[in-house]
Amino acid sequence: MLAALTVSVFVVGTSEYLIAGLLPQVADDLGVSVATAGQAVTAYALGVVIGGPAVTILTVRLPRKGLAIGLLLLFAAGNAICALAPSYEMLLAGRVVASLSHAAFLTLAMLLTTQSVAPERTGTAIATVASGFAVATLLGVPVGVLIGDGAGWRAPFAVLTGLALAATLLLALVLPRQEARETRVRDEVRTVTRRPVLLVIATTSLVMAAVATVFTYLAPTLTRISGFGTTAVSVLLLVYGAGSLLGGLIAGRLADRSLGATVRGTIAALSGVLALVPLAAGWKASAVVVVLAFGLLASTTTPTMQSLLLKHAGSAPTLAVAVNVCAFNIGIATGSMAGGVMVAAGGLRWLGLAAAVLGLGALALTSMTEGLFGHRSDLNFGTRSLIIEAGRHE
């Protein structure tokens, strides 16, 4: 089951940034500017942030297997609309339709994952499923762009539609039938408004903003500051992606052993590496080292923060997980925007310092999260009640 969920997360994850590499083709074909075509990325992000929690709360009482299949079919339909879109407006519509399933499906995948393993393996299981997203960044998007270059920008969306349908069939075969827990909407809302949950969500957003501030402009940093050629930059980005995949899996295992220490340690280490970027970027050898370290730490947020959120969400975690998924996207958008402002002002080399400040802010928030520094930070405490509660309603 975990393998099927990982594959499905890979398919959904590929969609978010796929169009970013196809913007010139989309603009030429649909008769719009590249800047206008780029709003298809924004439309998807807005659909995730706004529509994700709404879809999640509306479907919280539906059987889990049927919901997973339905969300993937909605995702497939959105990408089919993109592949066939006769106009820019229809392309936007397809992107929004696909985005509505994004947060809700990732939320469901995380919850199904935690309910299928023993409490002491929750962090590892979340990291395994989340690795589908890392692989999407590492391979899915570049391969999609290659397909688009050879067969036109519509082809990757057609392929993604086919993959979504195949993933739907796979889930239909392997997911066990499971009724939704008898949770009430007001319980879900009350969970989201708890102080520890809000702090975890805010921490997630700050950490992702720190990562995005540097990563969004990593390529120009490596070419303009470090002096690498475009081919070398492509290789370094693959190194970053491979490190990101490995780092997430390692963080998941560490979270199972000591969640609080892993959260604090990874955020502190990430902040330190980001602070070194301006110095390390001046030499090629040190730039390679810092890119690898950055990759190893950048993806540790997913398993650690999702595990921490589940610890505090108790028996009504669905909406909280969905909002936390949205927090990832909000953080990415915020970091990219902040980085853009600095780059426009000539501060490309100093992005790491700004990102480190954001990271330290996230570290400060973790100290305010109830129970993080006490014995209750052990993951088993939080997830055991969640899984026991889930079992009562299956």
Side-chain angles (χ1 to χ4, degrees):
M1 186 178 85
L2 289 182
L5 289 172
T6 302
V7 170
S8 301
V9 168
F10 163 77
V11 173
V12 174
T14 299
S15 177
E16 185 163 13
Y17 298 110
L18 172 63
I19 197 170
L22 304 170
L23 292 181
Q25 296 181 43
V26 172
D28 290 341
D29 186 44
L30 298 181
V32 297
S33 67
V34 172
T36 300
Q39 297 309 305
V41 178
T42 305
Y44 193 98
L46 289 175
V48 172
V49 173
I50 298 174
V55 172
T56 298
I57 203 68
L58 289 173
T59 59
V60 71
R61 302 294 294 274
L62 296 180
R64 305 291 89 181
K65 180 175 182 177
L67 177 58
I69 292 172
L71 289 172
L72 273 185
L73 288 176
L74 179 65
F75 177 80
N79 283 283
I81 293 173
C82 291
L84 300 172
S87 65
Y88 173 69
E89 290 74 20
M90 284 300 296
L91 173 65
L92 287 184
R95 292 287 288 171
V96 171
V97 169
S99 72
L100 292 177
S101 66
H102 183 107
F105 182 80
L106 292 183
T107 298
L108 183 59
M110 294 295 178
L111 294 177
L112 289 174
T113 297
T114 61
Q115 294 168 16
S116 67
V117 298
E120 63 272 13
R121 294 190 63 248
T122 298
T124 301
I126 290 177
T128 300
V129 173
S131 69
F133 229 104
V135 175
T137 303
L138 180 62
L139 294 178
V141 173
V143 171
V145 172
L146 286 176
I147 295 173
D149 287 340
W153 70 268
R154 298 176 187 275
F157 288 104
V159 171
L160 202 56
T161 301
L163 289 175
L165 293 175
T168 302
L169 178 60
L170 182 61
L171 290 183
L173 293 174
V174 304
L175 280 185
R177 298 185 67 86
Q178 184 182 112
E179 296 299 321
R181 298 195 311 277
E182 295 180 5
T183 182
R184 296 173 296 183
V185 172
R186 65 182 180 183
D187 293 331
E188 296 286 345
V189 174
R190 187 180 297 116
T191 295
V192 174
T193 58
R194 290 176 186 165
R195 180 174 176 269
V197 172
L198 289 174
L199 287 172
V200 172
I201 292 170
T203 302
T204 296
S205 190
L206 269 181
V207 173
M208 290 312 300
V211 170
T213 298
V214 171
F215 179 72
T216 304
Y217 303 95
L218 187 58
T221 298
L222 292 173
T223 54
R224 299 178 192 175
I225 308 299
S226 304
F228 286 104
T230 54
T231 301
V233 169
S234 298
V235 173
L236 285 173
L237 290 178
L238 285 175
V239 169
Y240 171 93
S244 183
L245 175 60
L246 179 62
L249 295 174
I250 293 173
R253 289 184 177 276
L254 292 176
D256 287 337
R257 296 180 181 180
S258 178
L259 179 57
T262 302
V263 170
R264 297 192 300 273
T266 53
I267 295 177
L270 175 64
S271 301
V273 168
L274 290 171
L276 290 175
V277 169
L279 177 64
W283 296 273
K284 290 184 177 181
S286 56
V288 171
V289 174
V290 82
V291 166
L292 177 58
F294 182 31
L296 284 169
L297 291 164
S299 64
T300 58
T301 303
T302 300
T304 56
M305 299 311 298
Q306 291 288 23
S307 296
L308 185 59
L309 184 75
L310 287 171
K311 176 184 114 52
H312 290 294
S315 60
T318 307
L319 182 59
V321 174
V323 173
N324 204 41
V325 170
C326 294
F328 279 88
N329 288 269
I330 293 172
I332 291 170
T334 302
S336 299
M337 185 182 303
V341 171
M342 287 190 65
V343 171
L348 177 63
R349 182 164 188 167
W350 310 108
L351 290 176
L353 293 181
V357 171
L358 291 172
L360 291 174
L363 186 61
L365 284 181
T366 63
S367 67
M368 299 169 59
T369 306
E370 179 184 0
L372 183 58
F373 292 96
H375 67 279
R376 291 178 62 189
S377 64
D378 182 73
L379 180 60
N380 296 347
F381 179 90
T383 54
R384 185 176 291 113
S385 63
L386 167 65
I387 295 174
I388 291 174
E389 183 69 18
R392 292 174 180 169
H393 300 296
E394 289 181 4

